[in-house]
Amino acid sequence: MFITFEGIDLSGKSTQAELLYIRLKKKNKKVIFVREPGGTVISEKIRKILLDRKNKNMLALTEFLLFSASRHQLTEEIIKPHLKKGYYVICDRYFDSSTAYQGYGGEVKPDIINRINKIAISSLNPDISFLIDVSLEETIKRRKKLRKVHDRMEAKTRIYYKKVISGYREIAKIDRKRYVVINGNKSIEEIHNNIITKIENLTIK
Ligand code: ADP
Ligand code: TYD
């Protein structure tokens, strides 16, 4: 089963992806946990370029193509072979991140996003995707608490992030069969339990 987690920065998706990973591991399931951009040697190198604040003049399309290149490498090198061997693959972000950030939030046209996305993932769709939905205000509070410095992607404006949030909601609405929207303002434990229930329902069916 291929499971992805989506949401804006600091929504809590990595926390949930990791908790799910630990839970499945404890149940002796074959499971791997990867993150985007990254997850392979080449993809981690691309990640560095994408997050480097020195790359101020990166064009919107260059950014999207780099995310897609990193994703393609991860899909072919790690995700597909593990799915074939019967693993649960948990991925912290996948192509919906590009649709939300570079498409809804940014300047890349929807038809380009959709075409390149399909090529990058070699038509591999997640079985289930969780959108951890939080307000921008909540993530600002969390950032202050963590005293986290912005990377290049995070240094974008409030308007940009608002567009990404509503973009994610739209994506989840369009693909209701695959998506589960979770209120990310609930406690970590409550969200985790919601996710487990959904996964178990899917496995039993
Ligand atoms: P993301 O992967 O979406 O950037 P993280 O999982 O790294 O987010 O979480 C960002 C911060 O928010 C961490 O300090 C984490 O402990 C905290 N956090 C995560 N989930 C919740 C939650 N449900 N309620 C309050 N704080 C949370
Ligand atoms: P990361 O530190 O992994 O953030 P997070 O913990 O929130 O996942 O950085 C990834 C950044 O890249 C994040 O700001 C979201 C952005 N991103 C895109 O803009 N498009 C994409 O396709 C992906 C995968 C990530």
Side-chain angles (χ1 to χ4, degrees):
M1 188 186 285
F2 183 25
I3 305 159
T4 61
F5 284 85
E6 296 286 350
I8 58 165
D9 310 74
L10 302 185
S11 58
K13 59 188 170 36
S14 311
T15 303
Q16 292 303 330
E18 203 173 327
L19 282 175
L20 177 62
Y21 172 77
I22 294 167
R23 168 92 172 219
L24 292 175
K25 234 2 241 172
K26 269 192 193 149
K27 292 201 154 193
N28 290 323
K29 304 283 185 198
K30 293 198 284 186
V31 56
I32 56 157
F33 175 27
V34 285
R35 69 160 178 187
E36 272 214 19
T40 72
V41 174
I42 294 168
S43 308
E44 290 293 334
K45 284 183 183 166
I46 299 173
R47 178 186 175 90
K48 284 207 179 101
I49 300 170
L50 280 162
L51 302 188
D52 188 348
R53 291 199 67 153
K54 280 187 244 141
N55 293 330
K56 280 197 174 61
N57 56 353
M58 190 183 293
L59 299 172
L61 186 59
T62 308
E63 182 183 286
F64 173 49
L65 292 173
L66 283 172
F67 277 118
S68 303
S70 159
R71 177 168 306 134
H72 184 65
Q73 190 67 33
L74 178 69
T75 302
E76 293 295 342
E77 195 180 316
I78 307 285
I79 301 178
K80 276 190 172 176
H82 279 85
L83 288 173
K84 256 194 197 147
K85 283 188 240 159
Y87 275 73
Y88 283 86
V89 176
I90 301 171
C91 196
D92 186 350
R93 297 192 179 286
Y94 201 48
F95 72 95
D96 295 316
S97 284
S98 280
T99 312
Y101 282 75
Q102 282 66 53
Y104 285 97
E107 300 155 34
V108 185
K109 291 200 181 94
D111 66 314
I112 297 180
I113 294 274
N114 293 335
R115 264 163 47 210
I116 305 284
N117 271 350
K118 262 193 204 127
I119 295 168
I121 63 171
S122 314
S123 299
L124 176 74
N125 265 297
D127 296 296
I128 187 164
S129 298
F130 292 99
L131 169 59
I132 313 295
D133 190 26
V134 290
S135 63
L136 184 59
E137 287 65 35
E138 173 63 23
T139 64
I140 291 168
K141 267 192 229 154
R142 289 182 192 175
R143 186 176 300 282
K144 277 192 187 142
K145 216 165 140 189
L146 288 171
R147 296 191 184 158
K148 196 170 178 274
V149 184
H150 290 64
D151 60 40
R152 195 186 65 84
M153 294 305 299
E154 290 167 338
K156 302 201 174 185
T157 61
R158 281 179 75 94
I159 299 165
Y160 177 84
Y161 273 104
K162 293 262 184 197
K163 284 198 262 179
V164 176
I165 291 174
S166 56
Y168 264 131
R169 289 178 184 156
E170 195 65 29
I171 291 167
K173 226 190 249 173
I174 292 169
D175 206 344
R176 276 177 207 275
K177 262 184 112 177
R178 171 165 65 93
Y179 255 95
V180 179
V181 181
I182 306 244
N183 177 357
N185 299 303
K186 290 188 182 165
S187 74
I188 291 175
E189 198 188 351
E190 224 175 321
I191 297 172
H192 177 60
N193 288 335
N194 271 341
I195 289 169
I196 294 299
T197 308
K198 289 285 174 190
I199 302 263
E200 280 173 356
N201 284 345
L202 208 71
T203 325
I204 292 162
K205 274 179 202 164

